[in-house]
Amino acid sequence: MTAATKIKPSAWQRSAKALETAALLLIIAFIVLPILWLAITAIKPQEKAYTTDIIFMPTLDNFEIIFSDESVIINEGTERERGEVGRNMIPNVINSVVVSGATILIAIPLATLAAYAFSRYQFLGNGILLVWILTTQFIPAIVVAIPFFTLFRTVEVFDRPLLGTQLGLIIVNMSIVLPYAIWMIKGFVDALPGEIEEAAFVDGCNDFQILFFISLPLIRPGVLVASVFAFIMSWNEFLFALIIGREMRTMQVALMTTSGARGIMWEQMAAAGMVVMIPIFFLALFIRKNVVDGLTMGAVK
Amino acid sequence: MRKKRWVPWVLVGPALLIIVLTTIYPLLAALYFSFHKYKLRSPPQFAVQIGDGGISIDWSLLTLDNYALAFSDSRFINSLQVTFWFTVISVALSVIIGLGIAVIVQKGGKLHTLTKVLLIFPFAVSPALKGYSWRFMLNENYGIYDLLIDSLVIKPINFLLSILNALPIVEIPLLSESIVWLGDKFWALFMLAMSETWGWAPLIALMFVGALGSIDEQIFEAARIDGANRAQIFFRVTLPLLRPVILIITMLKTIFSLKMFDQVVTMTGGGPVRATQTINYYIHQVGFVRSLDIGYASAMSYILVVVLTICAALYVSLVLNRD
């Protein structure tokens, strides 16, 4: 090869490299833009929310409005003081935290025990049972919601119908959270070498001693990941929250209450959206490597 | 190893019981409702009565009317069509864009790694919020997407077209710069599918990154030595090797798309003129918003169950037969 032909491919490679960088930047823009725009809108002053301006004085007014009972005065000192009635979404945040928290507190211990059994024991129909648990995820949520709606209208706990209560929503959430959690934790138990348990067995531990003192401590990181995944699932759940939760609005449903005289008050919706999103953001980063396994129940490796 | 036969049942029992109660019970109850006249406004008369004299069944109260109604209800047929097209568009876009992202991102490099980390972000955005944010951004007056599409896509195309039109050969009509995205039947459905793609393509990319990473590098090396170029390697080596994974992901995404509900509520509200009423959305309307007809809603959701059962069977057989 001559010197001239040596330069040519490198020039070609350089433009391919530039093309690749451009593609990557495009992907980043595609992913980040909606999130970024929501974040920008959340700190925009009200009068700028309905524009595409990106130069403005950042403000926390919108968060103040969605978290207070009283009317919040905006544009203080101007001739016509424009006030906004507070929405007070604190109860909604509490609903979301209680429902998602209680859902994982109930689901995760049960799922852990079940996952351990599926991973470590041969019992009648365990393979079929496991696949059946997988297929429950393909039941449309609306089919689960209809009978529970009619049931919870009449079933009373502490003299209150279950419909529109946190407990009602927690019960129905089990139908989506438990199967995922079982599959996810089973993956972690499968990855644990059985020799340690064998050794404990030889040393005279019984089944439950092995489970609680040997295996559980070892799979704790996996259980934590599954808990975070389950928390995100129930936090972001919408259909049950709408139909079963009713007036007990979780944050997902409360997003719908940001409409008023101006239609949807986008700056308030964006602020509420940040409240819904930011905690999940960090949780999602934390379980980044396991999300795919969780969603596909380990089908794609 | 350890052989106490009751132990696994003790461990599995509680979880299994709850799964049965929260999935099998509603499946059976909804099936039962679907054969009755059952509206929320009036207390239903059920065929099976449990009284002092034991169980009695009044067969005359059972009816197939709800199923008959479904197939003559133009709104239900419409919701089937909407769901079908939504599924086709969102699955195709999610899988193709997801694969594209994975192929680009897969290699090393700082920007590649950063992008890989960012891929998880749409997962953190709840579907309800996704719907609202897209609705906001697509607004024809102040939406950032509307602005970007107009200035980066429509205006350049129109500029080229106007140059072409200046030549006295052809006369091509210019594209409209004032499309109301969610007010147009086609665009509303398309944008609904795009919002779904935004949420899923990055996740699917992550799935493909994993699958691509597990392909032996020597296979690509061999293809390169044999003189294959990048395109040939992609179409003749990578794609065939990924085929099982592509099938599984496509099936999984199909199932998720068929269940589409959240964004319809927050993004389009089913409109314009029912153009985005998916099956789930229409069932919700019938059962809980408009006629409060639980019997009919149950019947329609059972039709959805049948469709999803077929998909689930396909999915499970794909997963089980993979190796």
Side-chain angles (χ1 to χ4, degrees):
Chain A
M1 268 190 215
T2 63
T5 49
K6 256 183 194 164
I7 296 165
K8 246 191 174 175
S10 82
W12 164 248
Q13 276 171 351
R14 240 183 295 143
S15 61
K17 184 102 185 127
L19 204 68
E20 195 173 284
T21 307
L24 283 168
L25 291 176
L26 193 70
I27 295 169
I28 293 176
F30 172 71
I31 295 170
V32 169
L33 185 70
I35 297 170
L36 193 66
W37 194 247
L38 215 56
I40 289 174
T41 308
I43 52 168
K44 266 189 180 182
Q46 193 200 80
E47 67 274 9
K48 289 268 189 182
Y50 294 79
T51 64
T52 45
D53 295 355
I54 47 169
I55 296 159
F56 57 88
M57 264 310 285
T59 169
L60 289 177
D61 279 354
N62 304 322
F63 291 94
E64 207 182 330
I65 291 166
I66 62 168
F67 282 129
S68 71
D69 275 322
E70 294 126 43
S71 22
V72 175
I73 293 165
I74 295 172
N75 296 348
E76 202 169 10
T78 56
E79 257 177 71
R80 270 173 41 226
E81 286 191 350
R82 270 192 300 165
E84 281 284 356
V85 183
R87 310 217 158 257
N88 196 4
M89 289 189 170
I90 291 167
N92 305 115
V93 174
I94 293 173
N95 286 338
S96 277
V97 171
V98 168
V99 169
S100 310
T103 300
I104 62 168
L105 279 181
I106 299 168
I108 294 299
L110 298 181
T112 307
L113 298 181
Y116 182 79
F118 277 121
S119 177
R120 286 294 191 255
Y121 291 88
Q122 286 288 321
F123 53 99
L124 189 69
N126 60 344
I128 294 166
L129 263 181
L130 203 55
V131 173
W132 173 75
I133 290 175
L134 175 97
T135 56
T136 59
Q137 285 326 288
F138 304 140
I139 300 171
I142 191 92
V143 178
V144 176
I146 292 171
F148 275 110
F149 174 85
T150 58
L151 182 72
F152 285 172
R153 282 208 318 165
T154 50
V155 172
E156 293 191 358
V157 172
F158 303 122
D159 291 327
R160 270 184 70 189
L162 270 176
L163 195 66
T165 62
Q166 294 165 344
L167 181 61
L169 190 51
I170 292 164
I171 294 172
V172 181
N173 270 348
M174 288 298 146
S175 71
I176 49 170
V177 168
L178 256 182
Y180 275 104
I182 291 175
W183 269 83
M184 222 170 162
I185 297 171
K186 181 182 170 286
F188 290 108
V189 185
D190 286 345
L192 192 70
E195 285 85 14
I196 309 163
E197 291 160 49
E198 294 287 353
F201 180 64
V202 172
D203 287 348
C205 287
N206 68 33
D207 292 68
F208 292 102
Q209 285 170 325
I210 293 172
L211 170 57
F212 287 106
F213 298 120
I214 310 288
S215 311
L216 274 190
L218 288 172
I219 57 165
R220 211 157 44 193
V223 173
L224 186 64
V225 167
S227 311
V228 171
F229 189 81
F231 187 89
I232 295 177
M233 279 185 91
S234 46
W235 181 274
N236 283 352
E237 204 287 323
F238 181 72
L239 189 147
F240 291 154
L242 190 67
I243 296 175
I244 305 292
R246 312 290 287 181
E247 284 76 30
M248 189 282 300
R249 294 191 189 93
T250 63
M251 273 309 283
Q252 303 297 333
V253 179
L255 285 177
M256 299 173 78
T257 62
T258 52
S259 46
R262 290 181 277 127
I264 297 173
M265 316 227 188
W266 290 116
E267 75 287 356
Q268 292 177 26
M269 195 282 300
M274 284 296 110
V275 175
V276 164
M277 192 172 74
I278 287 172
I280 303 305
F281 234 74
F282 291 107
L283 292 179
L285 269 180
F286 173 65
I287 59 162
R288 187 166 65 89
K289 296 211 158 65
N290 307 94
V291 165
V292 164
D293 276 354
L295 282 172
T296 59
M297 296 194 180
V300 179
K301 280 246 169 79
Chain B
M1 161 182 156
R2 289 154 281 149
K3 289 281 182 254
K4 284 211 186 74
R5 286 171 68 188
W6 53 269
V7 173
W9 289 106
V10 171
L11 298 176
V12 169
L16 213 53
L17 182 72
I18 293 183
I19 296 178
V20 166
L21 287 179
T22 55
T23 60
I24 299 299
Y25 157 71
L27 270 180
L28 293 176
L31 186 64
Y32 184 58
F33 293 166
S34 74
F35 291 115
H36 286 86
K37 283 198 188 311
Y38 183 178
K39 293 201 178 191
L40 276 182
R41 291 198 182 92
S42 53
Q45 276 203 304
F46 286 122
V48 179
Q49 292 295 334
I50 302 168
D52 299 331
I55 298 170
S56 64
I57 301 174
D58 183 349
W59 294 100
S60 66
L61 287 171
L62 291 176
T63 169
L64 283 172
D65 284 0
N66 291 321
Y67 289 94
L69 180 59
F71 290 106
S72 60
D73 179 356
S74 64
R75 293 182 183 195
F76 178 65
I77 308 285
N78 168 69
S79 76
L80 290 178
Q81 289 167 338
V82 168
T83 308
F84 175 79
W85 287 115
F86 170 79
T87 304
V88 169
I89 300 172
S90 66
V91 170
L93 287 177
S94 300
V95 173
I96 292 169
I97 295 178
L99 185 58
I101 295 176
V103 170
I104 295 169
V105 160
Q106 183 214 12
K107 285 179 288 176
K110 274 183 190 156
L111 202 56
H112 299 74
T113 314
L114 172 71
T115 315
K116 251 187 263 185
V117 173
L118 292 177
L119 287 177
I120 200 64
F121 280 15
F123 172 71
V125 181
S126 72
L129 182 61
K130 209 188 300 176
Y132 270 129
S133 67
W134 275 70
R135 178 169 164 190
F136 176 46
M137 293 187 297
L138 284 169
N139 185 286
E140 63 280 10
N141 296 320
Y142 46 76
I144 184 83
Y145 273 171
D146 181 66
L147 182 77
L148 288 176
I149 297 170
D150 278 353
S151 48
L152 297 181
V153 181
I154 294 182
K155 283 203 176 120
I157 290 177
N158 278 350
F159 179 69
L160 290 176
L161 286 179
S162 60
I163 292 175
L164 272 179
N165 287 345
L167 305 169
I169 312 162
V170 280
E171 187 70 40
I172 306 166
L174 299 185
L175 303 175
S176 165
E177 282 175 29
S178 55
I179 298 172
V180 182
W181 301 103
L182 298 181
D184 177 275
K185 279 185 156 190
F186 168 76
W187 286 115
L189 185 62
F190 182 81
M191 286 303 178
L192 192 70
M194 270 314 289
S195 76
E196 182 77 353
T197 304
W198 175 77
W200 274 94
L203 285 177
I204 289 176
L206 278 176
M207 297 175 193
F208 280 128
V209 166
L212 283 168
S214 64
I215 297 176
D216 194 343
E217 185 56 34
Q218 287 181 333
I219 297 174
F220 296 117
E221 200 54 52
R224 250 173 258 132
I225 290 167
D226 289 347
N229 62 32
R230 278 182 155 200
Q232 283 172 324
I233 291 176
F234 178 74
F235 286 106
R236 301 281 175 80
V237 181
T238 315
L239 268 190
L241 284 171
L242 282 183
R243 210 182 86 100
V245 180
I246 293 174
L247 281 175
I248 289 174
I249 291 175
T250 304
M251 210 59 234
L252 191 70
K253 182 69 198 79
T254 302
I255 290 164
F256 280 113
S257 282
L258 287 172
K259 299 203 287 185
M260 173 66 165
F261 176 77
D262 306 8
Q263 280 128 284
V264 188
V265 175
T266 56
M267 191 168 156
T268 65
V273 216
R274 295 193 283 283
T276 54
Q277 281 198 354
T278 59
I279 301 177
N280 258 330
Y281 185 82
Y282 183 56
I283 295 172
H284 176 254
Q285 288 283 310
V286 167
F288 301 101
V289 182
R290 299 195 185 277
S291 49
L292 308 182
D293 191 337
I294 293 293
Y296 184 34
S298 300
M300 287 190 293
S301 52
Y302 244 80
I303 295 169
L304 183 58
V305 167
V306 170
V307 174
L308 281 168
T309 305
I310 296 167
C311 293
L314 273 173
Y315 176 77
V316 170
S317 71
L318 279 176
V319 171
L320 294 183
N321 295 331
R322 199 179 148 197
D323 299 302

